[in-house]
Amino acid sequence: MTRIRCVMMQKNEATLLEPWILWHAAIFGFPSLTVIDNGSTDPAVLEIQRRYEEKGVRIVRDHALPSDFLHKGEVIASIIRQWDAEEPYDFAVPLDCDEFLTVFLDQLSLDPDVIRRQFDYLEQENATFITERLLLNVPEAPDYYLPQIVRRSLFKARTIVSLDRGFHNPQSLYPERYVRTPFVHLHLHNRPDYEDIRRFARQKLTATDTGEALEHPADGTHLHFYFRTDAEAFSAGYRPVPNIYAPQIAQRFRDLGVDPDILLGTGESVPHPPLSIPSGFVAHRARNDGQQHEYRVFDPLYYARSNPDVTQDAYYGIWPLLHYVTLGWDEGRQSDPDDAPPLVIQTDKAT
């Protein structure tokens, strides 16, 4: 069996820490998880770490300074090198506390067996491994996620050279060969309480305000956005953007004993149709100022085969789903072989 190790740095993540542990322990086992505590003071976080340390999760407590956060990539790379020297494993997966590993092939899969199997397939490859697809939770709209292309990384054992703080620019022993993985990061960045978003942005900005030279000149500048806009304007920016509807994600959290409302919110202003969705998701868009919602079946393999211009595109070829929800739907491109009509729901409230 392929042996996977996940590593993550966090500070005071009282809401996300336990769900992150439970999600990835269900895939890889508690002893395969390493949590670097960056100086947590929240008693709830300290208790969660104590409890799961007893179950085998490794808690690393000697990187508690703001400077350790600024050099998070270097800290994690050093831990991976330590694994290389001391213990057998096959892949190292660096993640953030708001990232949850899934797989997207012909469907969105949260099945631990399916996720583990993808590592088995990658084991024969010698390459720098890139995971470029991400599903960002839509604020005030639980079960809705925005497909994005953002470069992340994972490493085959004994191949890491370096890792930046954002995990966007991995360097391995194979600089000439990059392999895209079938993984998708479920990114629960948009916390239900906007003040929580601001609080963690402030925590990160405080860490960067140390006088040290930043890894990138623009480090932290995007965090100022949350203080220049209010909660309503923040949520409103997502409403006209097509996305996907994937209620199975919330159900997976329930199966793990996690209340998804604490992660995703309640979102009573958006529809939650009880659909049977073999692919794990449907495409969604809101129209007429949010009073009409359309849902369409999307077949990833059909769309890729039917649109070679998309699959050959340097950007959209990474994830044709993103092309469909941003361009293809409006262009009238067919999303599934049966050309099934959309489900249309009228609401009284704008989303």
Side-chain angles (χ1 to χ4, degrees), residues 2-5 79-85 87-93 155-160:
T2 308
R3 297 156 296 184
I4 317 301
R5 300 195 60 82
I79 288 175
I80 294 173
R81 292 190 196 100
Q82 185 177 348
W83 297 342
D84 288 340
E87 55 192 276
Y89 76 101
D90 297 298
F91 287 97
V93 184
F155 294 93
K156 194 171 185 179
R158 294 170 292 282
T159 67
I160 190 169

Side-chain angles (χ1 to χ4, degrees), residues 327-341:
L327 296 172
W329 200 338
D330 284 340
E331 292 171 353
R333 300 201 190 205
Q334 189 170 324
S335 62
D336 75 289
D338 298 324
D339 200 17

Side-chain angles (χ1 to χ4, degrees), residues 303 307-320 323 333:
Y303 195 77
N307 297 279
D309 60 318
V310 175
T311 56
Q312 294 168 16
D313 185 86
Y315 181 72
Y316 289 114
I318 297 171
W319 204 358
H323 178 272
R333 300 201 190 205

